């Protein structure tokens, strides 16, 4: 799961494109970070609306990779 969704070359390129498309709303995952930690860190401390938007895009992107 970690390799396919976050760390393989293809996944990293997808995350870079989503980051650009979302104007930085979705962060590019650290290839060394585990899936759960990446998810929690990316959503920590955000306002509810921003958290929902980011989580939606992260879920959609990971699912489609």
């Amino acid at each position: 799961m970690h390799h396919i969704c976050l760390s393989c070359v293809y996944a990293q390129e997808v995350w870079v494109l989503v980051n650009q498309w979302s104007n930085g709303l979705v962060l590019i995952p650290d290839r060394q970070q585990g899936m759960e930690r990446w998810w929690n860190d990316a959503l920590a401390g955000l306002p509810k609306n921003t958290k929902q938007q980011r989580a939606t895009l992260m879920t959609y992107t990971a699912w489609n990779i």
Side-chain angles (χ1 to χ4, degrees), residues 7 12 20-21 24-25 31 36 51 57 59:
S7 68
Q12 281 287 301
Q20 292 169 354
W21 173 80
L25 178 63
R31 295 178 79 166
E36 185 176 356
K51 185 182 286 189
L57 289 174
T59 301

Side-chain angles (χ1 to χ4, degrees), residues 16-36:
V16 167
L17 293 172
V18 171
N19 173 268
Q20 292 169 354
W21 173 80
S22 70
N23 293 316
L25 178 63
V26 175
L27 306 176
I28 300 166
D30 179 350
R31 295 178 79 166
Q32 303 304 316
Q33 199 172 36
M35 188 88 168
E36 185 176 356

Side-chain angles (χ1 to χ4, degrees), residues 4-57:
I4 292 172
C5 290
L6 301 181
S7 68
C8 77
V9 174
Y10 175 79
Q12 281 287 301
E13 184 61 27
V14 170
W15 289 111
V16 167
L17 293 172
V18 171
N19 173 268
Q20 292 169 354
W21 173 80
S22 70
N23 293 316
L25 178 63
V26 175
L27 306 176
I28 300 166
D30 179 350
R31 295 178 79 166
Q32 303 304 316
Q33 199 172 36
M35 188 88 168
E36 185 176 356
R37 181 169 178 151
W38 163 73
W39 180 270
N40 291 332
D41 288 353
L43 298 177
L46 294 174
K48 184 178 180 179
N49 187 42
T50 304
K51 185 182 286 189
Q52 289 175 333
Q53 290 174 347
R54 183 177 282 178
T56 298
L57 289 174

